[in-house]
Amino acid sequence: MMSQTIEPITFTVPLSFEAHEIAEQCGKQSNQKNFKQVYLNTLAVYALDYYLRCMGFETDWPVSDSRNPLMLKLMDVADLDVKQVGKIECRPVLSDAETCHIPYDAWGDRIGYVAVHLDESLKQARLLGFTKTAAKEVALNEMSAIEDLLTYMNRIQQLKPVKLTNWFEDVFDAGWQVMNELLNPEQLQLNFRNNSTVSIERGQKIDLGMQLAESSLALVVTLPPEANSEVDIRVQVYPMGNQTYLPPGLKMILVDELEEVLLEAESRESDNFLKFEFSSELRELFSITVALGEASVTQSFLV
């Protein structure tokens, strides 16, 4: 029986007069030697913007670095800001290229990268695939299908995760406090003994209501001082206020973006805290659920 090769589904976008007009404008805002690259970058962003709006996402291209004259002069960027999701980098691919080049300028504040093939006439763009990997060259045949990007974006919209990469820039979501605002002196001392290296650390008050007789817990997340391709993460749960021990039977559960349970812990008598230590790749989603009886609180994170 003959085997058949199933071609991945791609999406083709017509590059209209409007697309080329925007590309011309952005090219003129850059350095003259970068005109061609900026022009192609802009067409790639136009194609993804068109596609995502067709798929029901709300984009905000004008606030993206790829429309900022200063950034166009200084950096090779082709990002598209998607509301309630984040920035996606759109990299143009020409002729018969087998890899997608991602410049170092675009390795930062992105949730992922899309390869966009531009035909020789620059009249059509084809969205080839998606990857979360930031690397100088990514093989096109190793990229995920463009539908996987939609699944990933829908998951981010649904979970509304805390973006931990912002913490490396000293940007923290409301409600995430320094330790001395959450823990008592004895707990601070205990936490310090368990955290011997310089790190970034914040905590958030969580409340399980009547299950804890109106007592609260602190969810504490610790990161290394700098981000690498893999990030070592520590997550802990402490009792707050005058409570010394966690209530027996309190559960802490780590779930990945596919909703598979990776780690689970349960407090016993006289436990001061629960702790997970694990590593996560950049742009991965995970969730922490803290539960007691029928009550539970879940917080999601994007690395």
Short mmCIF file of all heavy atoms in Angstrom, two decimals, residues 92-123:
data_model
loop_
_atom_site.label_atom_id
_atom_site.label_comp_id
_atom_site.label_asym_id
_atom_site.label_seq_id
_atom_site.Cartn_x
_atom_site.Cartn_y
_atom_site.Cartn_z
N PRO A 92 9.75 36.97 7.90
CA PRO A 92 9.59 36.66 6.48
C PRO A 92 10.55 35.56 6.02
O PRO A 92 11.70 35.51 6.46
CB PRO A 92 9.91 37.99 5.80
CG PRO A 92 10.82 38.70 6.76
CD PRO A 92 10.39 38.28 8.12
N VAL A 93 10.05 34.69 5.16
CA VAL A 93 10.84 33.61 4.58
C VAL A 93 10.71 33.71 3.07
O VAL A 93 9.61 33.85 2.54
CB VAL A 93 10.34 32.22 5.06
CG1 VAL A 93 11.09 31.11 4.35
CG2 VAL A 93 10.48 32.10 6.57
N LEU A 94 11.84 33.67 2.35
CA LEU A 94 11.84 33.84 0.90
C LEU A 94 12.25 32.56 0.19
O LEU A 94 12.89 31.67 0.78
CB LEU A 94 12.78 34.98 0.50
CG LEU A 94 12.48 36.36 1.10
CD1 LEU A 94 13.55 37.36 0.70
CD2 LEU A 94 11.09 36.85 0.68
N SER A 95 11.93 32.48 -1.10
CA SER A 95 12.32 31.41 -2.03
C SER A 95 12.15 30.03 -1.40
O SER A 95 11.11 29.71 -0.85
CB SER A 95 13.75 31.64 -2.54
OG SER A 95 14.67 31.58 -1.45
N ASP A 96 13.22 29.21 -1.49
CA ASP A 96 13.13 27.82 -1.01
C ASP A 96 13.86 27.63 0.31
O ASP A 96 14.45 26.59 0.57
CB ASP A 96 13.72 26.87 -2.06
CG ASP A 96 12.95 26.91 -3.38
OD1 ASP A 96 11.71 27.03 -3.31
OD2 ASP A 96 13.58 26.81 -4.44
N ALA A 97 13.80 28.62 1.16
CA ALA A 97 14.48 28.53 2.46
C ALA A 97 13.95 27.35 3.27
O ALA A 97 12.76 27.03 3.22
CB ALA A 97 14.29 29.83 3.23
N GLU A 98 14.83 26.71 4.00
CA GLU A 98 14.45 25.58 4.84
C GLU A 98 14.42 25.95 6.32
O GLU A 98 13.98 25.16 7.14
CB GLU A 98 15.43 24.42 4.63
CG GLU A 98 15.40 23.87 3.21
CD GLU A 98 16.34 22.70 3.02
OE1 GLU A 98 17.14 22.42 3.95
OE2 GLU A 98 16.30 22.07 1.95
N THR A 99 14.88 27.17 6.63
CA THR A 99 14.88 27.62 8.02
C THR A 99 14.28 29.02 8.12
O THR A 99 14.21 29.75 7.13
CB THR A 99 16.30 27.65 8.62
OG1 THR A 99 17.10 28.60 7.89
CG2 THR A 99 16.96 26.28 8.56
N CYS A 100 13.87 29.36 9.31
CA CYS A 100 13.37 30.70 9.60
C CYS A 100 14.39 31.39 10.50
O CYS A 100 14.73 30.88 11.57
CB CYS A 100 12.02 30.61 10.30
SG CYS A 100 11.35 32.20 10.85
N HIS A 101 14.88 32.54 10.05
CA HIS A 101 15.87 33.29 10.82
C HIS A 101 15.15 34.18 11.82
O HIS A 101 14.24 34.93 11.47
CB HIS A 101 16.73 34.14 9.90
CG HIS A 101 17.64 35.08 10.62
ND1 HIS A 101 18.73 34.65 11.37
CD2 HIS A 101 17.62 36.44 10.75
CE1 HIS A 101 19.33 35.69 11.91
NE2 HIS A 101 18.68 36.78 11.55
N ILE A 102 15.56 34.09 13.09
CA ILE A 102 14.99 34.94 14.14
C ILE A 102 16.13 35.76 14.75
O ILE A 102 16.98 35.22 15.45
CB ILE A 102 14.31 34.10 15.25
CG1 ILE A 102 13.22 33.22 14.64
CG2 ILE A 102 13.72 35.03 16.31
CD1 ILE A 102 12.57 32.27 15.63
N PRO A 103 16.20 37.05 14.47
CA PRO A 103 17.29 37.87 15.00
C PRO A 103 17.22 37.99 16.52
O PRO A 103 16.14 37.89 17.12
CB PRO A 103 17.07 39.23 14.33
CG PRO A 103 15.62 39.26 14.00
CD PRO A 103 15.22 37.84 13.70
N TYR A 104 18.37 38.20 17.10
CA TYR A 104 18.45 38.30 18.56
C TYR A 104 17.56 39.41 19.10
O TYR A 104 17.03 39.32 20.21
CB TYR A 104 19.91 38.54 18.98
CG TYR A 104 20.10 38.58 20.48
CD1 TYR A 104 20.04 37.40 21.24
CD2 TYR A 104 20.31 39.78 21.14
CE1 TYR A 104 20.21 37.44 22.61
CE2 TYR A 104 20.47 39.83 22.51
CZ TYR A 104 20.42 38.65 23.24
OH TYR A 104 20.57 38.69 24.60
N ASP A 105 17.37 40.47 18.30
CA ASP A 105 16.50 41.59 18.71
C ASP A 105 15.10 41.13 19.08
O ASP A 105 14.40 41.81 19.84
CB ASP A 105 16.39 42.63 17.59
CG ASP A 105 17.71 43.36 17.34
OD1 ASP A 105 18.58 43.33 18.22
OD2 ASP A 105 17.84 43.96 16.25
N ALA A 106 14.67 39.99 18.53
CA ALA A 106 13.29 39.52 18.73
C ALA A 106 13.20 38.36 19.71
O ALA A 106 12.17 37.70 19.79
CB ALA A 106 12.70 39.11 17.38
N TRP A 107 14.26 38.09 20.44
CA TRP A 107 14.24 36.94 21.35
C TRP A 107 13.52 37.26 22.66
O TRP A 107 13.26 36.36 23.45
CB TRP A 107 15.67 36.49 21.66
CG TRP A 107 16.31 35.75 20.51
CD1 TRP A 107 15.93 35.76 19.21
CD2 TRP A 107 17.45 34.91 20.59
NE1 TRP A 107 16.76 35.00 18.46
CE2 TRP A 107 17.72 34.46 19.27
CE3 TRP A 107 18.30 34.50 21.62
CZ2 TRP A 107 18.78 33.60 18.98
CZ3 TRP A 107 19.36 33.65 21.33
CH2 TRP A 107 19.60 33.21 20.03
N GLY A 108 13.24 38.50 22.91
CA GLY A 108 12.70 38.89 24.21
C GLY A 108 11.20 38.74 24.31
O GLY A 108 10.64 37.68 24.14
N ASP A 109 10.53 39.83 24.54
CA ASP A 109 9.12 39.90 24.93
C ASP A 109 8.18 39.38 23.84
O ASP A 109 7.47 40.14 23.19
CB ASP A 109 8.80 41.36 25.27
CG ASP A 109 7.37 41.55 25.71
OD1 ASP A 109 6.77 40.58 26.19
OD2 ASP A 109 6.87 42.68 25.57
N ARG A 110 8.20 38.06 23.60
CA ARG A 110 7.36 37.43 22.58
C ARG A 110 6.74 36.16 23.15
O ARG A 110 7.38 35.45 23.93
CB ARG A 110 8.18 37.04 21.34
CG ARG A 110 9.01 38.18 20.72
CD ARG A 110 8.14 39.19 20.02
NE ARG A 110 8.92 40.12 19.23
CZ ARG A 110 9.43 41.27 19.69
NH1 ARG A 110 9.24 41.62 20.95
NH2 ARG A 110 10.10 42.07 18.90
N ILE A 111 5.52 35.85 22.74
CA ILE A 111 4.94 34.56 23.15
C ILE A 111 5.24 33.48 22.11
O ILE A 111 5.01 32.30 22.36
CB ILE A 111 3.42 34.65 23.36
CG1 ILE A 111 2.70 34.94 22.05
CG2 ILE A 111 3.08 35.69 24.42
CD1 ILE A 111 1.24 34.58 22.07
N GLY A 112 5.75 33.89 20.94
CA GLY A 112 6.08 32.91 19.92
C GLY A 112 6.44 33.57 18.60
O GLY A 112 6.47 34.81 18.48
N TYR A 113 6.73 32.73 17.60
CA TYR A 113 7.25 33.19 16.32
C TYR A 113 6.52 32.48 15.18
O TYR A 113 6.29 31.27 15.24
CB TYR A 113 8.76 32.89 16.24
CG TYR A 113 9.52 33.49 17.40
CD1 TYR A 113 9.62 32.80 18.60
CD2 TYR A 113 10.06 34.77 17.31
CE1 TYR A 113 10.29 33.36 19.69
CE2 TYR A 113 10.73 35.33 18.40
CZ TYR A 113 10.83 34.62 19.58
OH TYR A 113 11.47 35.17 20.66
N VAL A 114 6.18 33.24 14.15
CA VAL A 114 5.48 32.70 12.99
C VAL A 114 6.35 32.92 11.75
O VAL A 114 6.83 34.05 11.52
CB VAL A 114 4.10 33.36 12.80
CG1 VAL A 114 3.46 32.93 11.49
CG2 VAL A 114 3.19 33.00 13.98
N ALA A 115 6.54 31.87 10.96
CA ALA A 115 7.26 31.98 9.69
C ALA A 115 6.24 32.31 8.59
O ALA A 115 5.22 31.64 8.45
CB ALA A 115 7.97 30.68 9.37
N VAL A 116 6.55 33.37 7.83
CA VAL A 116 5.64 33.83 6.78
C VAL A 116 6.38 33.82 5.45
O VAL A 116 7.33 34.57 5.25
CB VAL A 116 5.13 35.26 7.08
CG1 VAL A 116 4.13 35.70 6.00
CG2 VAL A 116 4.50 35.33 8.47
N HIS A 117 5.96 32.94 4.53
CA HIS A 117 6.59 32.87 3.21
C HIS A 117 6.01 33.95 2.30
O HIS A 117 4.79 34.07 2.15
CB HIS A 117 6.37 31.50 2.57
CG HIS A 117 6.98 31.37 1.22
ND1 HIS A 117 6.30 31.63 0.05
CD2 HIS A 117 8.25 31.05 0.85
CE1 HIS A 117 7.10 31.46 -0.98
NE2 HIS A 117 8.28 31.11 -0.53
N LEU A 118 6.89 34.72 1.68
CA LEU A 118 6.50 35.76 0.72
C LEU A 118 6.88 35.28 -0.68
O LEU A 118 8.04 34.90 -0.91
CB LEU A 118 7.20 37.08 1.03
CG LEU A 118 7.01 37.63 2.46
CD1 LEU A 118 7.84 38.89 2.66
CD2 LEU A 118 5.54 37.90 2.76
N ASP A 119 5.93 35.29 -1.61
CA ASP A 119 6.28 34.85 -2.96
C ASP A 119 7.15 35.89 -3.66
O ASP A 119 7.30 37.02 -3.18
CB ASP A 119 5.03 34.50 -3.77
CG ASP A 119 4.18 35.73 -4.12
OD1 ASP A 119 4.56 36.85 -3.75
OD2 ASP A 119 3.12 35.54 -4.75
N GLU A 120 7.73 35.50 -4.80
CA GLU A 120 8.70 36.37 -5.47
C GLU A 120 8.09 37.70 -5.90
O GLU A 120 8.76 38.73 -5.92
CB GLU A 120 9.30 35.65 -6.68
CG GLU A 120 10.23 34.50 -6.28
CD GLU A 120 10.92 33.87 -7.48
OE1 GLU A 120 10.81 34.45 -8.59
OE2 GLU A 120 11.55 32.82 -7.31
N SER A 121 6.82 37.68 -6.24
CA SER A 121 6.16 38.91 -6.69
C SER A 121 5.68 39.77 -5.53
O SER A 121 5.23 40.90 -5.74
CB SER A 121 4.96 38.55 -7.58
OG SER A 121 3.97 37.88 -6.81
N LEU A 122 5.79 39.24 -4.32
CA LEU A 122 5.31 39.92 -3.11
C LEU A 122 3.82 40.26 -3.20
O LEU A 122 3.35 41.26 -2.68
CB LEU A 122 6.11 41.19 -2.81
CG LEU A 122 7.62 41.01 -2.57
CD1 LEU A 122 8.27 42.35 -2.22
CD2 LEU A 122 7.88 40.00 -1.46
N LYS A 123 3.10 39.36 -3.87
CA LYS A 123 1.65 39.55 -3.98
C LYS A 123 0.87 38.66 -3.02
O LYS A 123 -0.31 38.89 -2.77
CB LYS A 123 1.18 39.28 -5.41
CG LYS A 123 1.65 40.32 -6.41
CD LYS A 123 1.13 40.01 -7.81
CE LYS A 123 1.58 41.07 -8.82
NZ LYS A 123 1.09 40.75 -10.19
#
